[in-house]
Amino acid sequence: MHHGKYRFIVGLLLVPLAVYAVFVISPYVQAFPIAFTNWEGLSASYDYIGFGNFVTLFHDSVFWVALRHNLFLLVSLPIIIVTLSLFFSAALNYRGGVPGARIYKVVYFFPGVLSIAIVGVLWQFVFEPRNGLLNGFLRAIGLDSLARLWLGDGKTALGSIMAVVVWGGVGFYVVLFTAAMAAIPKELYEAALLDGAGAMQTFFRVTLPLIWNTVQTALAFQVIGALDMFALVKILSVGPGGPDDATQVISLYMYTNAFSYGKFGYASAIGVTLFLINMILTLLTFRLTRRERVEY
Amino acid sequence: MALLTSPSRSTAPAVPPSPGPVRSAVGSRVLGGVSQGFLLVWGAMVVFPLLWAVLSSFKSDQDIFTSPWSMPSRWRWDNFSRAWNESHIGSYFFNSVVVVCCGVVLTLLLSSAVAYVLARFEFPGSRVLYYVFVAGMVFPGFLALVPLFFVVQNLGLLNTYLGLILVYAAHGMSFSVFFLTAFFKTQSKELAEAGLVDGCSHWGVLFRIMLPLARPGLVSIGIFQFLGMWNEYLLPLVLNTDEKRYLVTQGLANIAVTQGYHSDFSGLFAGLTISIIPVLAVYLGFHRQISAGMTAGALK
């Protein structure tokens, strides 16, 4: 009986574990040693150069520009997206649900299921200087002076890409937050009302503390997302990384180093650095946003 | 009672309107109106670019340039056939269908096997195994990109359907194992035990009792994986550089980036529309499961 049980377990696990080990575990493990080599281009030979790549990285101005952009996105995107989503969720839940709340949620969520690559191509059209939707709209309402090159102008390029992230990201968090808000017992709202709390007070004193765990998860998601940004930046940037590296981010810089320049050792060092930053920031996010969980 | 003083409504509001002074009632109505306005504006901002793209795909290039805001003067279906054939969106579409369908099926097979074992059997190392699988959700895919490329290359699987399918399935396993383990744990042990008593083997219990019972869970995770794989961009970009094997997201992005706006604007819009429609259809058909599945992942 027991013999049969273990044969069954091994039989079921063998193939999945092999596939997972080869295509997921082994690449993660290999990334670290490769980061300490000078592996370049097509040659199969390479030497271990210790922390050489990391020293180079430290003096690489493009890396610092990219890192600065990532950190800027990391701070600004969560604030914008979470604030907007909380506002929309609260509005949808206003007095227990506005008319059409279900339709709003379906519509808002839609960009979230579209491929980021498709979203990128779509917005490339929206930002197109001559016939794009955005400049066309501005001209149509008489604001010609606001029409710009958007992606081609170093001053607006990164902001334009951020707008796309917000456009695509809000819906997911609206659904997430409304689900969390719906789980709050109605008695709490009635009690707040009897105590004379207004809509604002109710939101900040009742709703927000009770969904804080969900907000925290959302922030952690944003941290991971803000360090990636690859597909949008790759598709929307003019050239690799925008005019004058105006939209350069670490993931794109890593990709370019590996698959355009063939600097595999250097690219892996960027990957490992990105990984460490990611880990620190994720832990930090959970630390900073930790609060007593409110039981209800 | 607050509820009694509020105007009667068919649906009882969760937060009854304030019974207090008139000022606050007006205030809350204004607040409600303003927030409704913002909701509508955001809805329009989400829908408008999409609608514009779909409408533009029916126009001539001339129409797009001269009157980007009007309805098509003539509905040009030939944009679609041109995109499908000449821009190869058709064959990219076919590649995507092959890779994604096989990828989803393989992910479901592999992860339900793992999840079933982890949910039903205690054995040395089973906790560790669970965390090894779930950890894949947390690590950034970028870290492993360079080694992954060489793993696939060394196996001779670059630019093949099989390579992409295996990589997709392996990367889809983390979330699926996480989700399905929880799902199998909620299923009744009694049924499985009854099956064993009746002389079913472990395999028989799995295939005749547990998997059929797990259908709803498999369907949700299948839809979720379908969307994820259909929308994947980075993996095909790195592992699939043969233009004939391009997937639809990759192919479209490539056309848009390399050809720019000046060659075939309307054809590009048609290609964009073709790649949006299947996702839109799946989403509208299953939006409840999809948002539930995605938020379940986020609330882990």
Side-chain angles (χ1 to χ4, degrees), chain A residues 94-95 106 108 113 131 167 217, chain B residues 28 39 45 65 231 283 298:
Chain A
Y94 188 70
R95 290 187 180 177
V106 171
Y108 286 9
V113 296
N131 310 293
W167 180 82
T217 314
Chain B
S28 87
L39 288 173
M45 279 169 62
F65 293 138
N231 290 336
Y283 172 62

Side-chain angles (χ1 to χ4, degrees), chain A residues 1 4-9 11-13 15-17 19-20 22-28 30-32 34 39 41 84 87-88 91-99 102 104-118 121-133 136-138 140 151 166-167 170-172 175-176 179 186 189-190 193-194 199-200 214 217 221 224 228 230-231 234-235 251-252 254-255 258-259 264 267-268 271-272 274-275 278-279 282, chain B residues 2 9 13-19 25 27-29 31-32 35-36 38-40 42-43 45-50 52-53 64-65 68-69 110 113-114 116-117 121-124 129 132-136 138-152 155 157 163 166-167 169-171 173-174 196 202-203 206 227 230-234 237-238 248-249 252-253 256-257 261-262 265 268-269 272 275-276 279-280 283-284 287-288 290-291 294-295 297-300:
Chain A
M1 187 64 213
K5 181 185 139 187
Y6 279 106
R7 274 226 331 236
F8 174 73
I9 292 176
L12 273 185
L13 287 184
V15 177
L17 207 53
V19 171
Y20 190 74
V22 170
F23 293 105
V24 178
I25 301 175
S26 91
Y28 277 120
Q30 288 178 53
F32 291 91
I34 294 176
W39 189 4
L84 271 177
F87 173 73
F88 290 135
L92 284 171
N93 274 12
Y94 188 70
R95 290 187 180 177
V98 297
R102 270 189 48 209
Y104 281 122
K105 276 190 275 180
V106 171
V107 170
Y108 286 9
F109 200 76
F110 184 53
V113 296
L114 281 183
S115 164
I116 305 201
I118 300 298
V121 174
L122 175 68
W123 279 82
Q124 218 186 9
F125 291 137
V126 174
F127 286 131
E128 206 275 335
R130 278 188 312 145
N131 310 293
L133 184 66
F137 175 73
L138 290 172
L151 297 168
V166 174
W167 180 82
V170 163
F172 174 76
V175 171
L176 191 67
K186 306 217 183 319
Y189 285 118
E190 280 159 26
L193 194 75
L194 286 178
M200 285 291 174
T214 312
T217 314
F221 263 53
I224 298 169
D228 187 336
F230 174 78
K234 170 110 169 63
I235 292 169
S251 54
L252 180 66
M254 178 193 164
Y255 172 87
F259 298 103
F264 297 117
S268 264
V272 168
L274 184 62
F275 168 74
N278 192 332
M279 285 288 128
T282 311
Chain B
R9 281 180 166 206
V15 185
S18 164
S28 87
R29 201 166 304 149
L31 201 64
S35 57
Q36 265 282 22
F38 279 111
L39 288 173
L40 267 176
W42 187 262
M45 279 169 62
V46 168
V47 171
F48 228 81
L50 295 166
W52 175 70
I64 293 174
F65 293 138
W69 287 86
L110 298 177
V114 174
Y116 181 68
V117 169
F121 299 96
E122 280 289 336
F123 56 93
L129 205 57
V132 165
F133 275 105
V134 173
V138 191
F139 290 127
F142 259 97
L143 173 62
L145 200 58
V146 169
L148 180 64
F149 173 80
F150 288 101
V151 165
V152 174
L155 291 169
L157 292 173
L166 285 172
V167 171
H171 283 253
M173 277 168 82
S174 288
L196 286 174
H202 282 296
W203 293 100
L206 173 60
L227 284 171
W230 187 266
N231 290 336
E232 181 62 52
Y233 176 64
L234 177 65
L237 188 68
V238 172
V248 74
T249 46
L252 193 71
V257 170
Y261 311 103
H262 307 293
F265 222 54
L268 263 174
F269 273 114
L272 189 66
S275 50
I276 290 177
V279 182
L280 180 62
Y283 172 62
L284 289 180
H287 64 89
R288 226 176 277 268
I290 290 166
S291 29
M294 285 177 96
T295 45
L299 290 167
K300 61 181 181 275

